Amino acid sequence: MRIRPDEVATIIRQQIASFGEELEPKSVGTVLQVGDGVARVYGVTECMAGEILQFPGGVMGLALNLEEDSVACLLLGDDADIKEGDTVNTTGRIIQVPVGEALLGRVVDPLGQPIDGQGAIAAERTRPIETVAPNVIERQPVSEPLQTGIKAIDSMLPIGRGQRELIIGDRQTGKTAIVLDTILNQKNTDVACIYVAIGQKASTVARLVHIFEQHDAMRYTTVVAANASDPATMQYIAPYAGCSMGEDFRDRGKHALVIYDDLTKHAQAYRQVSLLLRRPPGREAYPGDIFYLHGHLLERAAKLSDERGAGSLTALPIVETQLGDYSAYIPTNVISITDGQIRLETDLFFAGVRPAIDIGNSVSRVGGDARIQAMNKVAGRLRLDLAYYRELAAFAQFSSELDKATQATLNRGERMVELLKQPQYAPLPVEEQVAVLFAGIEGFVDDLPAGSLQRFEQEFREYVRESHPGVYRKVRETKRLDDEVVEELRHAITEFKETFDPQAGAKPA
């Protein structure tokens, strides 16, 4: 094949004509000091707060301290291969995570990278982990219930979509059990769930994922895991990453639930990185902005106005206390930020009252606005009555003779406590909760032995489902308890009590 000189000349002229020199400015710095997951970099004068820096070996860093002649950043990986004098490049990108439906059913790290061995995530969008919370004009009051499936919560401490409800208590009192049941109860709803595990063992996270898979909950759930073996930096950014994933649903007019388990470990991780960054310590060695840390995270949970699409992001933060000390620094901070708290007691847990909710010291500041009318009708005074019963029972221990009114109050309270007990991984539809609580509030179980009530509840729910399905259907569709449904429910309870044997299955004395 012969090459003609004029063709070569033509091609060269075309290349010269189309050549354009485009310079890409890039700020390059040098590592001054590295250790304990923190690097100090000199020379990156154009660096932004929260920007991602590129270190050798593919390790990324998060710029936090912008000082006069250097930048202190947190390393999002192992610092073993980074040494003094290494070159550092800026990226011009604020730290972001992938968001959207593609993350549902996956287990990811705080950077949105999959860690479940199921391949890459084809996310269409990304979102900064730090965003500004919606202002007052962009919100609307919380009025739509988010059903947890737990009788004691849905009846007395209702949670609404867009609310921030704190779950607080000592270790091993059932905090995580409550949020797991809440996630399982969203199975047939339009709520996407994000569970953020902070500082937990990898085996614990694997067990939780297995539970979700067993109950077919992973298809609408994303697990963000910053394990105890991960750097403190990853534990620090984990809740913000999970919140951004939930905000994506909220801003598109959908509904999401995000769980932070738990913010005590998150605060400890932030304290660690702050001290390494040489920020001045304050109370209990926490930095001065620890309140802002959780305040601007939880403020992002909201029910948006109709003009913004009416989406919602509900937050259930968890805080662990030490020996019931609710006046410690982090618990009091988060209590003051949230819209109520569910307080769990060790004594109740070991007494067999599970969920071990201390009704007298728990509150939902949204109140009855987040309850359907049917639940309001049967459980309007239940919380006050149970708190009074607990107080009365404590005094009754020291008295041998009680008047009839006190005996009746103690008798009713004891039976309501039994009816409110609930096994784990068994959330109930709201219509079944209404039927059970109606039987207790109206006194239908006052003549039954307290030990038979959990069996009574289970068999009664099945009886209504089979023999009077219209009760459940009407409550589910209308969300009301009108006179017709009340009469049918009374009739169903009377019929069932005639066939119920309180002594069946009882252990011989």
Side-chain angles (χ1 to χ4, degrees):
M1 180 179 177
R2 299 184 61 182
I3 300 176
R4 295 169 54 187
D6 55 338
E7 290 182 355
V8 175
T10 302
I11 293 173
I12 292 175
R13 289 191 188 94
Q14 290 175 350
Q15 292 294 325
I16 293 174
S18 62
F19 177 74
E21 186 177 359
E22 295 181 3
L23 296 177
E24 181 183 350
K26 182 178 291 186
S27 179
V28 179
T30 305
V31 175
L32 293 177
Q33 188 179 19
V34 63
D36 296 321
V38 173
R40 197 167 296 276
V41 181
Y42 173 80
V44 282
T45 55
E46 303 298 323
C47 181
M48 300 178 288
E51 183 177 346
I52 292 293
L53 302 181
Q54 179 72 53
F55 285 80
V59 178
M60 312 299 284
L62 175 63
L64 277 191
N65 279 21
L66 305 184
E67 300 170 4
E68 186 175 357
D69 56 354
S70 64
V71 171
C73 64
L74 302 175
L75 297 176
L76 303 173
D78 191 5
D79 62 2
D81 297 329
I82 301 174
K83 61 185 183 299
E84 182 181 343
D86 281 347
T87 300
V88 181
N89 296 322
T90 57
T91 62
R93 293 184 289 109
I94 300 296
I95 183 170
Q96 297 185 338
V97 290
V99 295
E101 280 78 2
L103 277 85
L104 297 179
R106 303 302 300 271
V107 183
V108 299
D109 67 9
L111 297 176
Q113 303 300 317
I115 56 175
D116 52 7
Q118 297 182 23
I121 297 175
E124 298 178 356
R125 299 177 299 280
T126 60
R127 189 182 181 99
I129 67 169
E130 297 266 12
T131 58
V132 178
N135 59 41
V136 176
I137 305 301
E138 296 173 323
R139 299 171 182 247
Q140 63 174 298
V142 175
S143 58
E144 188 178 357
L146 185 137
Q147 304 292 348
T148 66
I150 301 171
K151 290 172 289 186
I153 295 177
D154 290 343
S155 61
M156 296 178 286
L157 306 164
I159 297 173
R161 294 185 178 184
Q163 188 176 347
R164 303 154 298 179
E165 182 80 0
L166 170 64
I167 300 172
I168 185 170
D170 286 3
R171 64 184 302 272
Q172 298 295 321
T173 53
K175 302 185 297 298
T176 302
I178 286 179
V179 296
L180 287 185
D181 283 350
T182 303
I183 291 177
L184 299 184
N185 198 53
Q186 309 310 312
K187 186 172 184 177
N188 297 315
T189 68
D190 56 349
V191 178
C193 301
I194 297 97
Y195 178 84
V196 183
I198 308 167
Q200 299 186 32
K201 292 186 294 184
S203 59
T204 302
V205 176
R207 181 176 58 84
L208 296 178
V209 172
H210 180 63
I211 291 170
F212 290 148
E213 291 173 342
Q214 280 184 319
H215 294 83
D216 192 29
M218 277 304 290
R219 60 183 173 84
Y220 55 86
T221 303
T222 301
V223 177
V224 181
N227 298 327
S229 57
D230 291 337
T233 307
M234 300 291 269
Q235 298 180 38
Y236 157 59
I237 68 174
Y240 300 102
C243 188
S244 290
M245 295 172 188
E247 280 181 323
D248 179 68
F249 291 98
R250 181 200 70 189
D251 292 348
R252 290 188 290 122
K254 300 184 178 182
H255 304 282
L257 166 68
V258 60
I259 288 153
Y260 309 116
D261 191 2
D262 64 88
L263 291 187
T264 305
K265 292 186 178 69
H266 178 238
Q268 291 167 356
Y270 184 62
R271 174 172 61 183
Q272 177 180 332
V273 299
S274 293
L275 293 175
L276 289 171
L277 290 171
R278 299 180 184 176
R279 293 181 176 180
R283 177 178 165 186
E284 296 182 22
Y286 287 106
D289 61 343
I290 192 70
F291 185 89
Y292 169 77
L293 180 80
H294 290 152
H296 84 283
L297 169 68
L298 295 171
E299 195 67 19
R300 292 159 68 179
K303 169 70 172 175
L304 295 184
S305 63
D306 292 336
E307 291 77 16
R308 285 283 308 272
S312 72
L313 176 63
T314 309
L316 293 181
I318 295 176
V319 165
E320 182 179 300
T321 55
Q322 302 292 329
L323 299 175
D325 184 11
Y326 297 94
S327 61
Y329 193 22
I330 301 304
T332 50
N333 275 356
V334 183
I335 285 173
S336 64
I337 295 167
T338 49
D339 306 317
Q341 67 272 355
I342 298 172
R343 179 168 161 176
L344 304 179
E345 281 292 337
T346 306
D347 293 343
L348 290 174
F349 184 84
F350 289 115
V353 180
R354 300 177 186 177
I357 299 173
D358 181 1
I359 298 301
N361 289 303
S362 301
V363 64
S364 172
R365 297 190 181 100
V366 171
D369 292 343
R371 273 194 305 222
I372 64 172
Q373 188 273 347
M375 186 63 82
N376 265 336
K377 190 167 184 178
V378 299
R381 285 187 50 84
L382 181 57
R383 180 173 171 270
L384 291 176
D385 290 346
L386 271 183
Y388 178 59
Y389 157 73
R390 292 251 165 85
E391 185 179 346
L392 202 59
F395 284 105
Q397 296 177 0
F398 306 101
S399 178
S400 57
E401 295 183 5
L402 300 171
D403 59 87
K404 289 186 177 181
T406 302
Q407 290 177 353
T409 301
L410 291 173
N411 183 60
R412 174 70 60 82
E414 181 185 8
R415 279 148 183 78
M416 291 309 302
V417 168
E418 289 296 320
L419 283 181
L420 288 171
K421 289 180 181 179
Q422 193 165 338
Q424 196 175 356
Y425 314 134
L428 295 181
V430 66
E431 61 270 16
E432 296 190 16
Q433 297 182 39
V434 168
V436 170
L437 293 175
F438 180 85
I441 294 292
E442 294 295 317
F444 286 101
V445 299
D446 288 356
D447 57 341
L448 296 177
S452 68
L453 288 188
Q454 291 190 46
R455 185 169 57 85
F456 169 88
E457 179 218 345
Q458 182 177 358
E459 295 179 7
F460 169 64
R461 287 190 288 105
E462 294 174 357
Y463 176 81
V464 176
R465 192 181 304 122
E466 295 172 1
S467 302
H468 298 270
V471 172
Y472 288 161
R473 180 176 49 79
K474 290 174 184 175
V475 173
R476 184 170 56 248
E477 292 175 355
T478 67
K479 297 179 170 48
R480 305 184 69 83
L481 202 62
D482 54 29
D483 294 341
E484 180 185 349
V485 177
V486 168
E487 284 305 313
E488 188 174 355
L489 196 50
R490 289 180 183 274
H491 181 61
I493 298 172
T494 305
E495 277 184 355
F496 175 72
K497 283 189 66 178
E498 292 175 356
T499 62
F500 178 72
D501 181 7
Q503 304 303 324
K507 296 180 181 178

